[in-house]
Structures are given as structure tokens and as C-alpha cells.
Amino acid sequence: MINGEILKNAVISGANKISLQKHQINDLNILPVPDGDTGTNMSMTVTAAVKVLESYDGCSAGEVAEIVASAMLRGARGNSGVITSLIFRGFAQGLKGMEEVNGKNLAAALGIGVDAAYKAVMKPTEGTILTVARMAYEAGVEKSKEMTDTVSVWQSICDKAEDALSITPELLPVLKKAGVVDAGGKGLCAIFEGMLSVFKDGVIIECDDTSEVTVDTFDNAAAEFDDDIEFTYCTEYIVGRGDEEEADPQQLREYLETIGDCVVVVSDDEIIKVHVHTEQPGAALTKALEFGQLLTVKVENMKEQHKNAKKSAKPPKEEFVPVEPTEKIGFVSVAAGQGLKELFEDLGCNNVVSGGQSMNPSTDDIYAAIMATPAENVLVLPNNKNIILAAEQTVPMVKDRNVVIVPTRTIPQGMTAMLNFDPEISAESNAQLMMDSVQKVETGLVTFAARSSEFGGKKIKEGDIIALENGKLTITEKSVVKAAVKLAKNMVTRDTEFITLIYGEEVSEEDANKVYEELRDKFGSRTDISLVKGDQPVYYFILSVE
């Protein structure tokens, strides 16, 4: 039997385990686009519970499960984060009122969560986190028929979760094609394994990564010191070691510590890599010559960098203040970028939640925006397929106004939906009308390859410009301008009436105008073309074609 203290520690351990693996999970992208945030979303979802648990000193397993469920619901981000929160909500329902629980209780409670997760997804797909959770639960129930102790049952759950994860590529062809397992399933395995560490050995997995710094991990170790500007110059270099070089790199470290701080010195048989903050970069380089030849050198003025960063710093996150519902209808939209925020406000949105691809807002973020909207009926436009589920969780949370989710999946869909709002009909009828209006909206995206890969027979190098047509990768290019023009030519048909070109924060006005002018020359005689400064991150261009 386990009590609340043990369950609390298990959840903390699970959160720490996935935090350690989140980058590895993020890399399990089907497409090489910069949206691999499953690990981050799941980690933030579970960590939201940890923050609340830290102040709980009771010993009721049921109370711990309830605290975890409530905190995860509010902190849920992305589809996998929401599904994770629903799985843990099952624990709250299944363990309600129990001071101590065993493995049989946990397996049954897990089943309640799995059932809720399947019901929350409109079209459940096997080969995802759902499959991993379901098969793990089924194994736990079978094990609990012969042994009810927590360790035996939870070990069976973890083992089956890993087995299920390994077959996700066989169940979902896109995973097999990309050569990866399901990212959400991988995250759930990490959480379960972290919990097992406490159930089995009483050990909470530590969150801090204390692994040894090597030549390969040097950059990450050095980056930890980037914000420290007690000294002016961040100095990094690589020393090539000849066969005759026998000087101990420890001597170099000891010297550097006398002229600066934030020292990282790592070496292997061939090189020594060095990072130091100092006022004497020349002395640091001169000393290096005693250990071999300088292969690379980088010296940066951190104070100047800090000054420039402050100038370009983005405004702090907007705080939403709750208000009473005084109007008939209002709108909340999700978008990233000042230009897009202003665009949706111009279209009639009361509040715009900052977020989108690679930066999914939490359920609580959306809830706060709803409560800050002075309307009896609030229509919410997620504008991203990975935010819809989080938005849907706000509906039962809001008690004093009617919340209706308009499940827009892209920014262009959100724009068209807002343009088709009819103030003469109900919120529910508007949601249907707005969604009907987006059926003919085509969305094009121009971004960069976040990793090297092969997709659809095409070899893609990290950093290549890529374009997606309605989520399908169709173009690789070296030029942002060329990619955008090619994408438009692919998407525009004889029936196209409107083209909206939205350019992001990394695109110059000159390049944006180049694309606009090419599209105007090509399609302007029969199509209405608009150019909008969206300031969005991640995507160089968002293209709306109707």
C-alpha cells in the first residue's frame, strides 16, 4: 500500500524524468519543422502539479491525486499535455477518498483516465499516446488479478507501455515513414518510469542533469553561463594537441580561474575546448599557446550584447484581468506576433492569447483570457490543431458565461472565421457558420528545417527553407522568397479570389514586398492580394488562399 506522501513523491519523480528527456522527446518529429514541442508541453503540464504539491504535507493518496489533476488541467499544453492531464484526472476519480492505495487501485484509476482521454479526442488514432496508455492500463489490470501490490502492478504497466511504444510505428504509417516512435507515448513512458523509481526503490529521480561535461556536451555547458556579465568578454577557443603536448589541461583551468570566472575546460586526446568570462581575453589566448595550437577563437563583448538585447526585448506577457460579462458576445483568439495580435483585435477579438506553433498556451492561459472578456457568450478560436484540446478543457471550468470553441486549426482559418461572424444569430450558430466558412481556406507555411532528414524521397538538410501546403511538405528551397512564390503558385487555382500574405519577424519588408510583387504580377489581374506584417515567429510566411 502507498500513501499520499509516496504518491506525491512519485509524481514529482515522474515530472523530473520527463524534464530530463523533453529535448529527446521534442526531436521525435514526423516532419523536420520547428514544432517539436511535445516533450516541453508534457513536461510543463506535469511540472504544474509539482509546484502545487510542494506545499502539500498531508498523507492522503486521494487528496494528492485530486491536487495533481486540478493543477495539470490548468497547466495542460498541447494535445499530449491535455491527454496526460486527463489520464491523471482518472487517478483523482478512482482514488477519491482513499488514504492508502495499492496496485489494483492504481490500475483501475488509470483505466478511468484512459477512457476519458479517448472520449476527449474527436477521432482517436492508434499508434499514439492513447495506445500506450490503454495497453499499459490493460496490462496493469491483468497483473492486479494475481498480485495487487503497487510495485508488481506498476512494473507491469511500465513494461507494457514500452512495448506499446515500440509498435507505434507499425500502427501509424507516418511514424514508420519518419523512422520515429510516438513522442507523446515516449513522454508517458518517461513519467511512468519516474513514478516506478519511487514505488520500487523509494528514489525520486533528480531533475538537474549532472552528467559529465565532455567535448560533445561542451556547448550546452558553456551556454549555462551566457547571462553572467560580471566580466566583459566571453572567450571561447579550441586548442589542437600534438602528440608531444603533455601539459595537463587542469593547469590551464587553474590559470583561467585567476583571471575570470564561468570557466569550462574539457579535453580529449586531440583537442582542448575552453570557455571563460574575463577582462583579459588576450592573456587567456596567450596561455593557451602553451598547450598547443589555436584552432578556433571567439571573443564576444557580453555587456554590448546585453545592451542590444534589452533594446530589442519583447514586452512582458500580458496579464488578463477578470471582468463581469456585460456584453452579449465576445471573442478570444490565439496568435503569436504583435502584427497578428493587432490583426485579430481589428477583426473584433477582445483578447488575444500569445501562442501558436512551438509555444502552445496552457488551458489556464486561455481560461484567463476568457474571464477577461466582458461577454455572456465567449467564442474561442485556437488557430492551431495542437491548441484545440486545451481550449476545450476551459468549457467546464467557466461558470458565469457560455464558452463556445470554434476549432480553427490555422491562422488563416481564424481570420476567415472572424470575418464571417454574424451578430444576429446565437453563439452556437455562429460557431457552425464560422467553421463552415473556413472549409475553402487553404493554408501555406514557409519555415526552416529543424533537423536533417529524408521525407517523401527528398533529402532535407538542417536549415533548409521548406514550405508546407495544408500541413503537407511540398517544397524545399534555399531562398525564403523563392519558397513563398513557389508555394503560392502551387496553391492558387482558377477559382482563387483572395490571397493574404503574412510575413514574420525574421522577414525584411524588402523581401516581403518582393514576394507580394511577384504574386501581384502573376495573379493580380483576377485575385485580391493583401500583404500583412504579422511579426510571427517560426514561420517566415503564412499564406491564406481562398
Side-chain angles (χ1 to χ4, degrees):
M1 302 291 286
I2 63 169
N3 59 19
E5 180 70 18
I6 296 173
L7 184 58
K8 166 187 169 180
N9 291 339
V11 173
I12 293 172
S13 183
N16 291 346
K17 177 79 172 181
I18 192 171
S19 292
L20 290 173
Q21 293 190 4
K22 64 184 178 184
H23 297 301
Q24 176 187 348
I25 295 167
N26 285 344
D27 288 340
L28 296 175
N29 256 0
I30 295 174
L31 291 174
V33 295
D35 67 348
D37 49 8
T38 299
T40 300
N41 283 340
M42 293 181 71
S43 174
M44 294 179 74
T45 299
V46 186
T47 301
V50 173
K51 294 175 182 176
V52 182
L53 284 175
E54 287 172 348
S55 61
Y56 176 78
D57 57 3
C59 58
S60 166
E63 287 181 1
V64 168
E66 187 175 350
I67 290 169
V68 169
S70 176
M72 281 197 190
L73 171 63
R74 290 181 170 273
R77 296 171 187 267
N79 290 343
S80 293
V82 172
I83 289 171
T84 302
S85 76
L86 292 173
I87 289 170
F88 277 84
R89 189 189 296 178
F91 286 105
Q93 295 172 356
L95 308 183
K96 188 173 183 178
M98 296 184 183
E99 292 292 315
E100 293 186 334
V101 299
N102 59 19
K104 185 174 183 178
N105 302 138
L106 289 174
L110 176 58
I112 297 173
V114 170
D115 185 55
Y118 266 88
K119 288 178 179 177
V121 179
M122 186 174 296
K123 294 180 180 179
T125 302
E126 296 300 338
T128 65
I129 182 176
L130 294 173
T131 303
V132 174
R134 176 180 56 77
M135 292 180 65
Y137 147 68
E138 291 169 350
V141 169
E142 284 302 309
K143 189 68 176 180
S144 68
K145 291 177 180 178
E146 55 181 88
M147 304 179 75
T148 61
D149 68 285
T150 300
V151 174
S152 297
V153 173
W154 203 258
Q155 181 72 65
S156 177
I157 286 171
C158 288
D159 291 345
K160 195 61 179 181
E162 287 290 344
D163 290 344
L165 178 66
S166 68
I167 66 170
T168 54
E170 302 303 321
L171 297 174
L172 203 54
V174 291
L175 294 175
K176 189 170 186 177
K177 187 175 182 180
V180 296
V181 294
D182 179 67
K186 177 72 172 176
L188 191 63
C189 286
I191 296 169
F192 285 174
E193 288 164 7
M195 295 175 70
L196 179 64
S197 177
V198 171
F199 293 152
K200 188 175 183 179
D201 303 315
V203 176
I204 299 176
I205 292 175
E206 295 297 326
C207 187
D208 293 333
D209 186 358
T210 56
S211 56
E212 181 183 357
V213 177
T214 66
V215 168
D216 290 335
T217 61
F218 173 86
D219 289 338
N220 290 335
E224 294 177 7
F225 303 117
D226 283 351
D227 292 333
D228 189 332
I229 54 171
E230 180 179 348
F231 292 89
T232 303
Y233 300 101
C234 175
T235 305
E236 292 185 16
Y237 53 80
I238 297 177
V239 178
R241 306 176 71 180
D243 294 337
E244 72 284 356
E245 304 291 349
E246 297 181 357
D248 185 356
Q250 180 63 26
Q251 296 174 2
L252 178 57
R253 176 194 295 275
E254 291 171 356
Y255 171 75
L256 294 174
E257 288 174 345
T258 67
I259 64 168
D261 67 1
C262 302
V263 177
V264 179
V265 176
V266 296
S267 63
D268 56 23
D269 293 338
E270 298 179 352
I271 63 171
I272 305 171
K273 296 187 75 171
V274 173
H275 171 281
V276 60
H277 291 177
T278 180
E279 295 294 337
Q280 305 173 55
L285 295 173
T286 299
K287 186 67 175 179
L289 295 174
E290 297 178 14
F291 295 80
Q293 295 183 337
L294 285 168
L295 302 180
T296 65
V297 175
K298 182 174 74 172
V299 179
E300 296 178 331
N301 186 317
M302 293 184 294
K303 292 181 178 178
E304 191 65 26
Q305 287 180 326
H306 182 67
K307 187 193 303 180
N308 293 335
K310 286 183 69 176
K311 287 180 182 177
S312 60
K314 296 180 180 179
K317 182 179 178 181
E318 182 179 357
E319 295 293 331
F320 294 111
V321 179
V323 295
E324 292 297 318
T326 56
E327 301 173 12
K328 192 68 176 174
I329 199 160
F331 299 90
V332 169
S333 187
V334 180
Q338 184 62 28
L340 285 178
K341 178 177 183 291
E342 293 172 1
L343 175 62
F344 276 100
E345 288 174 342
D346 289 343
L347 290 172
C349 286
N350 301 79
N351 291 298
V352 180
V353 180
S354 180
Q357 204 67 21
S358 81
M359 46 184 295
N360 301 153
S362 68
T363 296
D364 208 32
D365 292 334
I366 300 170
Y367 170 80
I370 292 170
M371 298 306 293
T373 302
E376 297 172 5
N377 299 277
V378 182
L379 275 65
V380 181
L381 289 77
N383 300 331
N384 185 293
K385 64 180 181 180
N386 206 34
I387 299 174
I388 295 172
L389 203 53
E392 289 173 346
Q393 305 314 300
T394 64
V395 175
M397 295 169 62
V398 179
K399 307 300 183 184
D400 66 341
R401 60 203 82 187
N402 178 40
V403 178
V404 180
I405 308 301
V406 184
T408 49
R409 298 166 67 86
T410 67
I411 289 294
Q413 285 189 359
M415 292 162 49
T416 297
M418 287 300 300
L419 287 167
N420 283 273
F421 166 68
D422 183 350
E424 301 299 322
I425 61 177
S426 70
E428 286 76 12
S429 295
N430 258 302
Q432 186 60 55
L433 173 67
M434 294 164 84
M435 282 309 296
D436 287 344
S437 72
V438 308
Q439 299 308 310
K440 295 182 180 180
V441 177
E442 306 284 326
T443 299
L445 304 169
V446 179
T447 184
F448 60 91
R451 58 181 171 83
S452 296
S453 65
E454 185 171 336
F455 192 83
K458 297 179 180 179
K459 288 190 175 180
I460 301 169
K461 293 182 179 179
E462 181 178 344
D464 280 354
I465 306 302
I466 56 178
L468 297 92
E469 183 178 339
N470 296 315
K472 182 179 179 181
L473 197 158
T474 56
I475 294 168
T476 58
E477 261 292 350
K478 299 297 182 183
S479 160
V480 170
V481 171
K482 288 182 179 179
V485 172
K486 275 188 180 180
L487 180 63
K489 289 179 178 178
N490 281 359
M491 295 177 65
V492 174
T493 68
R494 291 181 179 180
D495 297 328
T496 299
E497 297 179 359
F498 303 99
I499 301 173
T500 304
L501 185 68
I502 306 168
Y503 64 100
E505 62 182 359
E506 297 296 324
V507 177
S508 67
E509 188 174 348
E510 179 184 2
D511 281 347
N513 279 316
K514 283 181 182 177
V515 179
Y516 171 73
E517 288 166 7
E518 285 206 44
L519 298 189
R520 186 185 59 187
D521 292 343
K522 180 75 175 176
F523 308 112
S525 61
R526 56 185 174 86
T527 307
D528 188 327
I529 304 174
S530 302
L531 180 65
V532 176
K533 181 175 172 57
D535 301 307
Q536 72 271 5
V538 181
Y539 297 117
Y540 299 118
F541 287 100
I542 299 174
L543 192 65
S544 174
V545 176
E546 291 185 66

